[in-house]
Amino acid sequence: MDKDRGKRLAAEEAAKHVERGMTLGLGTGSTAAHFVDIMGVRVAEGWSLKGVPTSEETRRQAERLGIEIIEPDETTVIDLAVDGADEADPNLNLIKGGGAALLREKVVAHAAKKFIVIADKSKRVAALGAFPLPVEISPFGWALTVAAIRKTLAGQGFDKSELTLRAADGAAVKTDGGNLIIDCALARIDDPARLEKALNAIPGVMECGLFCAMTDMIIYGDEDGISIAAP
Ligand code: 5RP
């Protein structure tokens, strides 16, 4: 399967929901990057659009394309947020955070009047959890927070979960906000909403990568076209 074509087709479909003058939440990752590219074309065609980026990487891309950047602190209105996902279930619950931008992505998606997810079809799963769940935590007392996450997971029935501090080139990955990411290998999450609530209640956890009951529509793409999942 040509995943990139699927990502592009999904992004093109999402672009049909954009109207002139909108303030857009701009997601992070290779699929969201297609959407940002298309918005760059609209701006070059003379459309007035503003973008609230969910990462420094997306900010750089949007700036290169001439999209006017709005800081999240400068607006209380986001008309539409469009972002990718690492996994999505039939109830439109998501795992996000593969690109370490989950806190900013969730703030923007939650604030948006409408949240559309775009993904290649490989992201569609019967149940979440094969993709290790990212949890963004404060660096302060991080080992204590990891111990608390482990305890909470055990209380939720995940006795043998493997927790890994995300690292690259021998150093811990820092998010744009200076936080750390703990990847939790859980295999299968039967009640994502309950787990989201339990993890987000731990002091030191900034956000977990479960996005439950937030998504208005998922547009899946593959080389043959798109399909839409909506509540
Ligand atoms: C970043 C994310 C991304 O949306 C997710 O990782 C999907 O990325 P891609 O479109 O490259 O597959 O959550 O934090």
Side-chain angles (χ1 to χ4, degrees):
M1 179 167 100
D2 181 351
K3 283 190 185 173
D4 200 57
R5 179 165 158 75
K7 292 174 187 186
R8 183 73 189 187
L9 290 179
E12 285 172 358
E13 186 66 23
K16 295 179 185 167
H17 295 260
V18 176
E19 293 168 18
R20 287 172 192 268
M22 275 187 167
T23 297
L24 300 169
L26 302 175
T28 294
S30 56
T31 318
H34 280 293
F35 178 77
V36 177
D37 268 341
I38 296 165
M39 293 306 102
V41 173
R42 295 278 184 284
V43 167
E45 288 168 351
W47 283 40
S48 155
L49 292 172
K50 293 174 184 156
V52 180
T54 54
S55 65
E56 294 310 312
E57 188 188 343
T58 299
R59 173 194 300 276
R60 285 191 290 274
Q61 184 193 3
E63 279 174 346
R64 261 197 323 273
L65 293 166
I67 299 170
E68 184 183 343
I69 301 295
I70 296 286
E71 298 301 332
D73 312 347
E74 290 172 349
T75 182
T76 53
V77 177
I78 298 174
D79 296 298
L80 168 68
V82 177
D83 204 347
D86 298 299
E87 279 186 350
D89 76 8
N91 296 318
L92 277 54
N93 298 316
L94 315 172
I95 287 184
K96 286 184 52 55
L102 65 104
L103 172 60
R104 293 185 181 194
E105 290 172 333
K106 203 183 254 189
V107 169
V108 169
H110 181 260
K113 290 181 196 163
K114 192 169 185 182
F115 177 41
I116 296 180
V117 169
I118 50 177
D120 68 82
K121 261 187 197 148
S122 70
K123 306 294 183 65
R124 189 166 61 185
V125 295
L128 301 177
F131 190 92
L133 175 66
V135 180
E136 184 163 344
I137 67 169
S138 165
F140 177 82
W142 73 271
L144 297 172
T145 305
V146 170
I149 292 173
R150 205 180 288 285
K151 196 172 162 193
T152 294
L153 288 173
Q156 298 274 319
F158 298 101
D159 291 327
K160 294 197 180 97
S161 50
E162 202 175 296
L163 274 54
T164 311
L165 174 67
R166 194 180 295 179
D169 303 324
V173 167
K174 286 273 180 95
T175 69
D176 287 338
N179 298 317
L180 303 171
I181 300 284
I182 305 298
D183 291 307
C184 307
L186 304 178
R188 183 188 167 98
I189 302 170
D190 286 319
D191 191 342
R194 189 171 76 130
L195 183 60
E196 180 183 26
K197 200 171 166 195
L199 288 170
N200 285 349
I202 300 170
V205 168
M206 312 309 290
E207 261 305 336
C208 81
L210 287 165
F211 285 45
C212 297
M214 290 183 70
T215 305
D216 294 298
M217 177 189 291
I218 303 179
I219 303 171
Y220 293 106
D222 68 8
E223 51 214 352
D224 298 327
I226 59 113
S227 59
I228 290 176

